[in-house]
Amino acid sequence: MIELFSDFDGTLTDKDTLALLLDLYASSDWYAIEKKALDGEIDERQSLADEMALITASDEVLLNTLMREVHPAEGTAELVALARDRDWKMTVLSGGLIRFSRILWESWGYGGIPLFANDHGRDAEGRLTIIPAATPRLKDRCNHCKRWHLEKAKEHGATVVYIGDGLTDFCASEAADRVYAKDNLKEYLIRNGKDFIGFQNLLEVTSHLIKNHS
Ligand SMILES: [Mg+2]
């Protein structure tokens, strides 16, 4: 039985919600933090906390911006329909913030597909703080250990398919039986000599899945 796991930001969305909020509401310091994380100098737990602490705009302002600016990536509906038609369990694993990503996901009519992500709070100065996802952490490097969900599915005998594009997908992708990758995830897998199937548009992922599981 196939079990499908997908990243949220930049994979199922047309814009990365965190990058958008940082561009609009944080100083450009966030680019240097992100580069350190992508270069492996700091882990994701540290980089996300440092980046989000640059944001003091209210949740209402942030959510209104996301609801206005972020839409499903092209091909999301087709991918969801394929999973439903084939009775494949699909789970969305986000490295972002649940109070934003879940509201977006549900507003697009996909509330029946579970989405896991980090939570957030505020410090005394109103800076955004990260409350890591409740999921156990296998390596303690990420706020949300996406890999844990994949390992669980494999324990139950599932063939695990993973779709992603970025830093929070690096570790998880290594536990998948098949990876569809773009952008930073694709570069990471090339650098590390790992197998993957590249894509730019989710429609390519859906057609590849149909061809290989007809
Ligand atoms: Mg992403």
Side-chain angles (χ1 to χ4, degrees):
M1 174 62 90
I2 288 190
E3 199 163 328
L4 208 56
F5 292 91
S6 179
D7 169 51
F8 184 67
D9 283 293
T11 302
L12 295 172
T13 70
D14 64 347
K15 297 187 194 82
D16 184 300
T17 62
L18 299 179
L20 179 68
L21 295 180
L22 288 163
D23 275 340
L24 293 175
Y25 300 107
S27 69
S28 58
D29 292 352
W30 84 268
Y31 291 108
I33 300 169
E34 187 72 10
K35 184 170 185 323
K36 275 190 196 169
L38 287 168
D39 290 346
E41 289 174 36
I42 56 173
D43 64 25
E44 190 272 346
R45 286 197 79 173
Q46 188 64 50
S47 64
L48 185 65
D50 289 352
E51 288 173 355
M52 288 297 128
L54 298 169
I55 293 179
T56 54
S58 71
D59 279 10
E60 187 185 359
V61 165
L62 300 178
L63 183 59
N64 284 343
T65 298
L66 294 176
M67 293 293 279
R68 190 175 62 243
E69 299 288 338
V70 181
H71 305 94
E74 186 181 13
T76 298
E78 288 81 357
L79 180 68
V80 167
L82 177 69
R84 190 187 55 227
D85 292 350
R86 301 291 173 93
D87 207 18
W88 295 340
K89 187 177 176 194
M90 179 172 172
T91 304
V92 182
L93 302 177
S94 169
L97 306 176
I98 191 117
R99 287 192 235 168
F100 301 145
S101 45
R102 184 174 282 163
I103 288 173
L104 285 173
W105 189 235
E106 289 179 355
S107 77
W108 300 334
Y110 300 130
I113 297 164
L115 181 152
F116 297 92
N118 303 301
D119 201 352
H120 72 276
R122 299 282 174 167
D123 69 10
E125 280 78 45
R127 292 179 296 222
L128 206 149
T129 57
I130 299 298
I131 301 166
T135 308
R137 277 183 290 278
L138 299 174
K139 299 198 176 180
D140 213 26
R141 289 179 54 83
C142 293
N143 287 286
H144 179 195
C145 181
K146 297 184 177 187
R147 185 173 187 142
W148 180 85
H149 299 268
L150 276 67
E151 299 286 8
K152 270 283 169 220
K154 284 165 69 172
E155 276 174 26
H156 298 133
T159 298
V160 170
V161 173
Y162 193 79
I163 311 166
D165 75 336
L167 176 68
T168 62
D169 307 311
F170 289 1
C171 180
S173 69
E174 292 177 5
D177 296 298
R178 188 191 308 147
V179 182
Y180 294 98
K182 65 176 184 175
D183 300 341
N184 286 324
L185 176 61
K186 180 176 167 178
E187 286 172 28
Y188 170 84
L189 294 170
I190 291 171
R191 254 193 336 266
N192 290 279
K194 308 280 184 189
D195 286 339
F196 68 93
I197 297 149
F199 76 99
Q200 273 310 308
N201 183 307
L202 282 177
L203 293 171
E204 298 163 47
V205 175
T206 299
S207 65
H208 189 274
L209 283 166
I210 289 170
K211 264 187 218 133
N212 286 272
H213 303 281
S214 52

